[in-house]
Amino acid sequence: MMMLKKKSIAAALLLGALASQAWADPAVTLVAQPDPAVVGTTLSLDVLISGISDLYAYQFSLNFNPAILQVTGVSEGAFLGTAGNTFADAGVIDNAAGQISFLNNTLIGNVAGANGSGVLARINFSVSSVGSSTLSFADALFLNSNLGDITVQLNGRTLDAVAAVPEPSTYLMLAAGLAGLVAWRRRQPA
């Protein structure tokens, strides 16, 4: 009898965990490539949505540290287009203030919204200095095909930017140059 109770409790806990996952809000996350960012290079930041049903339209603003990052471009992700034709707007880019305002995308016509997970947008940055940049959302709105609000968990993040590390071949070239300089110096008359 005790063994049956333990199995029943374990089964109830497992079902509870699965149910809580099934009812969890959809989430937006940010994935950077490369991570950490490297000064003097371009960084691609994908805005990913997961676990959403009937997404018809969205908008958001993204804040960043302008001393570390500068936006070079914004493009539409493929996710919303899986449900039909779309109209996208890259928003207003303000590199001085460190914000992309009202980036948005919507389906066109009377169609059902997109379901599942995918890329909403890709934002490209140039990485200008070493440090950390908090990436945070503002003014977010997610709508279903009835134009009702969808609750979405917005997961900002901190992105580190590091200095470029020379390749090993650079060190080999430096060593060869120094060896050549030493050999040349030794051949010089005193």
Side-chain angles (χ1 to χ4, degrees):
M1 188 62 132
M2 183 63 120
M3 184 67 105
L4 183 59
K5 283 185 181 179
K6 285 183 181 179
K7 287 183 181 178
S8 296
I9 292 172
L13 289 173
L14 179 61
L15 286 174
L18 291 174
S20 69
Q21 285 181 335
W23 295 105
D25 288 338
V28 174
T29 56
L30 301 171
V31 176
Q33 185 63 33
D35 191 2
V38 179
V39 173
T41 65
T42 299
L43 166 78
S44 292
L45 184 74
D46 284 342
V47 181
L48 304 175
I49 185 108
S50 60
I52 193 139
S53 295
D54 194 29
L55 178 63
Y56 188 84
Y58 66 84
Q59 83 169 25
F60 60 84
S61 297
L62 184 73
N63 300 306
F64 58 92
N65 182 343
I68 308 289
L69 301 171
Q70 294 285 293
V71 176
T72 59
V74 177
S75 59
E76 176 184 6
F79 178 70
L80 201 58
T82 62
N85 293 327
T86 63
F87 175 79
D89 183 355
V92 177
I93 299 169
D94 186 344
N95 279 319
Q99 185 177 58
I100 304 169
S101 299
F102 303 109
L103 184 153
N104 62 79
N105 195 357
T106 184
L107 287 164
I108 299 171
N110 188 15
V111 296
N115 299 306
S117 302
V119 178
L120 295 177
R122 173 169 281 174
I123 304 167
N124 292 318
F125 293 94
S126 63
V127 184
S128 56
S129 65
V130 173
S132 292
S133 176
T134 299
L135 302 168
S136 61
F137 292 99
D139 308 313
L141 179 64
F142 292 81
L143 300 174
N144 62 28
S145 58
N146 293 320
L147 302 182
D149 286 340
I150 301 174
T151 301
V152 174
Q153 179 181 340
L154 301 170
N155 299 316
R157 63 168 292 180
T158 299
L159 179 74
D160 293 323
V162 297
V165 177
E167 296 289 327
S169 59
T170 305
Y171 290 121
L172 287 174
M173 287 176 39
L174 178 63
L178 289 174
L181 221 85
V182 168
W184 175 75
R185 184 81 169 128
R186 286 188 179 170
R187 289 187 177 180
Q188 295 296 316

